[in-house]
Amino acid sequence: MSPAELFALPFMQRALIAALLTGLAAPAIGTFLVQRRLALMGDGIGHVAVTGVAIGLVTNTSPTWAAVVVAVLGAVLIETIRERGQTNGDVALALLFYGGLAGGILVSGIDGQSASSLNRYLFGSLTTISAGDVIVTMVLSVAVIGLSVGLAPQLFAVAQDQEFARVAGLQVRAYNLLVAVLAAVSVTVAMRTVGLLLVSALMVVPVATSQQLTRSFRTTIGAAMVLGAFASVGGLVLATFASYKATVAPGPTIVLLALACYVVAWPIGIWTRHRARLREPFAEGQIPLHESCEEHPHAHGPGCGHLAVPHDDHVDYVHDGHRHAEHGAHYDEH
Ligand SMILES: [Zn+2]
Ligand SMILES: [Zn+2]
Ligand SMILES: [Zn+2]
């Protein structure tokens, strides 16, 4: 069978649509998790979702919808523990992850046949996606993409500086919960593509790659979505061609392709940051390299908590690995 004939088959077309949508949705919400240094939250939700899938399989209801419900409950619980927790927050999360995974395997084992079905969700199974699954994937991923991109300024402000966002009148708690719920939904959407055990990779790796190459928040989220879509569709196509010779699963291929993009972007990122440092910081008409003021809610000043570096006639502040100074209505990167 030629590649053209293969990709004309309905099951391959369903797989391509699902791969494209999850590749766009997972990094869109993943950007805010990375921003808040919660890169492994998707992984935790993925473990909790295993129990949801198992309940769906055993009760003969939809594993996808059962996973959505359990993952959203798990995400709200994780967010509540994170918000309240002080020292033992990570231990509480770990207990939840292991409980989710062990519970799922236990529940699915009660019904002997579903243990192998559970594998499809743990490691992904793009090519067995039904027409109904594709419609659910479409609805849920469009919701995730729409809310992540549409509410990006508010979600960014909350992720960047909770205190400032609260003072500015944003409903910090509501936005944090929204991020947790959208992360849970995108975990369940992506579980058929890359599997629950690798789901976090699709939410985090394209974002990390994008951060190597972009500076402003808007370009980071946009480039992360392009990279996620490229890795998902490209990984599926690669795995399909490789399957002429051997059994190659799309899920791991997608994740390895996303990691390969990171490996390529890493030296480019080092080089462009080096070039940027060599530039004249106050050159005429130069576009500011750091975020402009509406994207930089933290006001630097004496005692603001960031390292102050006196520099010529002004003071620079070291912040998130950047060294910059306020200049008119924006910040200049040094
Ligand atoms: Zn300076
Ligand atoms: Zn700053
Ligand atoms: Zn300037």
Side-chain angles (χ1 to χ4, degrees):
M1 188 180 284
S2 76
E5 284 171 327
L6 186 62
F7 283 102
L9 292 174
F11 83 89
M12 277 307 295
Q13 292 182 345
R14 289 198 294 267
L16 283 169
I17 294 169
L20 176 67
L21 288 169
T22 54
L24 290 169
I29 189 65
T31 303
F32 302 104
L33 296 182
V34 171
Q35 193 83 33
R36 282 175 58 194
R37 309 200 187 289
L38 293 172
L40 289 178
M41 187 165 179
D43 194 42
I45 297 170
H47 282 67
V48 175
V50 175
T51 296
V53 170
I55 291 171
L57 289 172
V58 168
T59 57
N60 247 331
T61 52
S62 159
T64 305
W65 285 113
V68 170
V69 171
V70 172
V72 166
L73 289 176
V76 170
L77 188 59
I78 290 171
E79 176 56 29
T80 310
I81 292 171
R82 197 199 57 77
E83 190 190 46
R84 301 275 155 80
Q86 287 103 39
T87 48
N88 290 327
D90 63 330
V91 175
L93 293 185
L95 297 177
L96 198 62
F97 300 174
Y98 305 142
L101 186 57
I105 292 165
L106 189 75
V107 170
S108 70
I110 292 168
D111 179 15
Q113 294 193 330
S114 47
S116 62
S117 311
L118 188 65
N119 269 349
R120 290 215 293 267
Y121 295 90
L122 291 180
F123 303 105
S125 60
L126 261 176
T127 48
T128 64
I129 287 183
S130 70
D133 284 334
V134 172
I135 291 168
V136 172
T137 300
M138 278 176 157
V139 171
L140 293 181
S141 40
V142 165
V144 170
I145 295 165
L147 287 168
S148 303
V149 175
L151 293 174
Q154 292 92 322
L155 295 177
F156 176 80
V158 171
Q160 182 79 0
D161 192 333
Q162 306 238 351
E163 292 306 308
F164 183 87
R166 196 169 280 126
V167 171
L170 286 174
Q171 296 294 318
V172 170
R173 191 144 193 268
Y175 284 118
N176 280 341
L177 276 175
L178 180 68
V179 168
V181 168
L182 290 179
V185 171
S186 71
V187 162
T188 15
V189 165
M191 75 183 173
R192 296 301 299 267
T193 313
V194 291
L196 289 170
L197 295 182
L198 287 175
V199 103
S200 207
L202 201 52
M203 300 171 82
V204 169
V205 178
V207 179
T209 309
S210 173
Q211 285 180 333
Q212 295 294 317
L213 306 174
T214 58
R215 284 173 177 278
S216 93
F217 172 70
R218 282 187 194 89
T219 51
T220 299
I221 191 168
M225 289 170 72
V226 170
L227 285 164
F230 168 75
S232 296
V233 174
L236 173 62
V237 171
L238 278 179
T240 306
F241 282 130
S243 294
Y244 282 110
K245 306 255 181 228
T247 310
V248 177
T253 312
I254 289 167
V255 171
L256 288 175
L257 184 58
L259 283 168
C261 292
Y262 182 84
V263 170
V264 171
W266 189 53
I268 299 173
I270 291 173
W271 182 72
T272 52
R273 280 193 296 275
H274 176 69
R275 295 257 308 172
R277 268 196 298 275
L278 293 179
R279 281 186 209 162
E280 196 69 39
F282 295 101
E284 271 279 313
Q286 188 174 334
I287 308 149
L289 297 169
H290 194 50
E291 295 91 349
S292 57
C293 268
E294 69 266 23
E295 287 179 333
H296 189 283
H298 180 82
H300 290 297
C304 74
H306 295 103
L307 182 64
V309 184
H311 175 203
D312 293 340
D313 58 338
H314 61 278
V315 180
D316 296 334
Y317 288 90
V318 181
H319 176 202
D320 268 0
H322 300 266
R323 181 178 147 188
H324 50 232
E326 198 171 0
H327 178 232
H330 61 276
Y331 278 79
D332 280 326
E333 188 84 316
H334 283 41

